[in-house]
Amino acid sequence: MRAEKGNIVIIGAGPAGSIAAALLNNKGYRAVILERDAFPRFSIGESLLPQCMEFIEQAGMLDAVRNAGFQLKDGAAFLFQGKHCEFWFADKFTSGFDSTYQVQRDRFDALLAAEAQRMGVDIRWRQEVVEADFSGEQPVLTVKDRDSEDRYRMTADFVLDASGFGRVLPRLLDLEKPSGFPVRQAVFTHIEDRIDDPRYDRNKIRIIVHPELTDVWYWLIPFSNGRCSLGVVGEAKILKVPERDPQAVLKQFVDAEPGLSALLHNAVFDTPVNSIGGYSANVKRLHGKGYALLGNAGEFLDPVFSSGVTIAMKSASLAAEVVDRQLGGIAVDWQKEFAEPLQKGVDTFRAFVSSWYDGGLQDVVLYQQQQPNIKAMICSILAGYVWDENNPYVKNSEPRLKTLVELCREP
């Protein structure tokens, strides 16, 4: 079996992997990405948050993203039983980017990977990591070429796992841990939406609560080409996929929401409907000797606030800084410099996700008499600025959110 060496080996060429590789490449390291698939490939999670733009800018990819023709996203709209409330990111509490994009992930991920390659990153397609040994002085990965079936070993100074839902190192190193969230499913597709309502704002994601089942919700994410991503999320026992055909389930739930059904009355369902279940995941630890876990390879909460790509890019940014110091001979503390800072933002998102499903946050975002300063603070969370501890709803998420819910529910 042949052997190779790489400065830093990154598993996965998605947003976390490409951003981390670009950041490390710009610091002078040889980053090698091992990607199991070939790009472009479908991925869910099309609605970015403004916080993402800061990490894209750090990596030197901002112009490429801005020039790609993606759909502008300037906020979010929430709807339930005739109630409607919009958030504009320009009104947020935290300074930073006021807009982002709604992207087809096959194009977006391929763009970031191509930018990383342009900078000099070595991306190896259709390479699957099948074994991982971290017992020696340096990590050693056994890699299978999925085309030739040949195997080889890669020795690295450090390994970053950005494999997303593939969760390569958590599987190989027995790091998996239950998430604590109920088992939910998402049923989704891309459609030609043909929306003709002049009041419809394509610059915002729509999050719509089911008219009767308040822990079931829909997303509608418009793209710049007249298509959109459409999905419904609920507990597995409610959606009953895969016992039922996913397309029948999706159409049944769309028909059950009058506003959504009317909006999509001309829509063409021309793409197979997919489903994913039990997607919430966690790990025993985010780092170990010679490795760190980025994005969904570490923890995934829920799609409701589109937090996945933001957390992935934040983890890439943090990890690149710590790896740089460590390989530069500086003593580092991965727990204090990577895991804990990352977890602060994840915990803020978790508090908001939990409150969403128990109905509290739904009352908050749809509250018509919300004070402007409070709404601005909530808007910052929705924009992904969950590491800004000047925001009280970041610093003390759970108690402040609980108090706010109580205020919004007062008669």
Side-chain angles (χ1 to χ4, degrees), residues 284-346:
K284 298 172 185 174
R285 56 185 179 274
L286 289 171
H287 60 90
K289 178 189 173 186
Y291 73 86
L293 309 179
L294 308 184
N296 295 350
E299 181 172 6
F300 181 75
L301 296 171
D302 191 89
V304 66
F305 299 120
S306 306
S307 62
V309 176
T310 301
I311 292 170
M313 290 184 174
K314 175 68 173 181
S315 67
S317 178
L318 286 170
E321 292 296 327
V322 183
V323 168
D324 180 37
R325 291 196 295 274
Q326 178 172 312
L327 297 187
I330 300 172
V332 299
D333 185 329
W334 275 90
Q335 185 62 25
K336 290 185 178 179
E337 297 176 50
F338 172 73
E340 291 178 8
L342 180 63
Q343 199 64 47
K344 286 181 180 178
V346 174

Side-chain angles (χ1 to χ4, degrees), residues 150-201:
D150 289 343
R151 297 189 177 210
Y152 59 96
R153 290 194 178 95
M154 282 285 293
T155 300
D157 294 322
F158 203 87
V159 176
L160 295 174
D161 185 353
S163 59
F165 287 120
R167 300 173 64 79
V168 172
L169 291 187
R171 287 188 294 102
L172 295 177
L173 302 181
D174 190 28
L175 299 175
E176 300 275 16
K177 186 177 82 170
S179 75
F181 281 136
V183 177
R184 296 190 176 95
Q185 289 183 317
V187 182
F188 53 88
T189 191
H190 287 182
I191 62 174
E192 182 181 341
D193 60 71
R194 299 188 181 183
I195 295 173
D196 56 10
D197 186 338
R199 298 167 297 178
Y200 180 63
D201 184 356

Side-chain angles (χ1 to χ4, degrees), residues 23-44:
L23 292 171
L24 290 164
N25 180 79
N26 292 342
K27 294 177 183 294
Y29 294 98
R30 176 175 175 253
V32 178
I33 297 179
L34 303 174
E35 169 55 51
R36 183 179 184 275
D37 297 318
F39 280 19
R41 54 90 180 96
F42 179 83
S43 180
I44 199 66

Side-chain angles (χ1 to χ4, degrees), residues 134-146:
F134 290 86
S135 62
E137 288 189 12
Q138 289 182 298
V140 179
L141 304 177
T142 301
V143 186
K144 182 179 75 172
D145 185 311
R146 299 186 72 201

Side-chain angles (χ1 to χ4, degrees), residues 11 24 130 147 150 157 165 174 188 228 238 254 257 262 268 313-314 327-328 342 353 367-368 373 406:
I11 306 172
L24 290 164
V130 293
D147 292 322
D150 289 343
D157 294 322
F165 287 120
D174 190 28
F188 53 88
C228 72
I238 294 173
V254 169
E257 211 297 313
V268 178
M313 290 184 174
K314 175 68 173 181
L327 297 187
L342 180 63
V353 169
Y367 188 58
Q368 300 301 306
N373 64 321
E406 292 171 353

Side-chain angles (χ1 to χ4, degrees), residues 4 11 58 101 112 117 121 129 133 171 173 176 184 191 204 209-210 229 307 333 359 362 367 371 409:
E4 297 187 31
I11 306 172
Q58 286 176 17
Y101 297 98
L112 297 190
Q117 285 180 305
V121 173
V129 176
D133 182 359
R171 287 188 294 102
L173 302 181
E176 300 275 16
R184 296 190 176 95
I191 62 174
K204 291 179 176 62
V209 182
H210 189 280
S229 175
S307 62
D333 185 329
Q362 296 178 23
Y367 188 58
Q371 296 179 25
R409 285 177 169 176

Side-chain angles (χ1 to χ4, degrees), residues 2 27 31 56 68 82 112 125 136 163 175 191 193 227 232 247 252 254 264 282-283 295 362:
R2 79 177 193 271
K27 294 177 183 294
I56 292 170
L112 297 190
W125 305 103
S163 59
L175 299 175
I191 62 174
D193 60 71
R227 300 181 64 80
V232 61
Q247 180 159 324
Q252 173 197 336
V254 169
L264 299 179
N282 207 342
V283 288
Q362 296 178 23

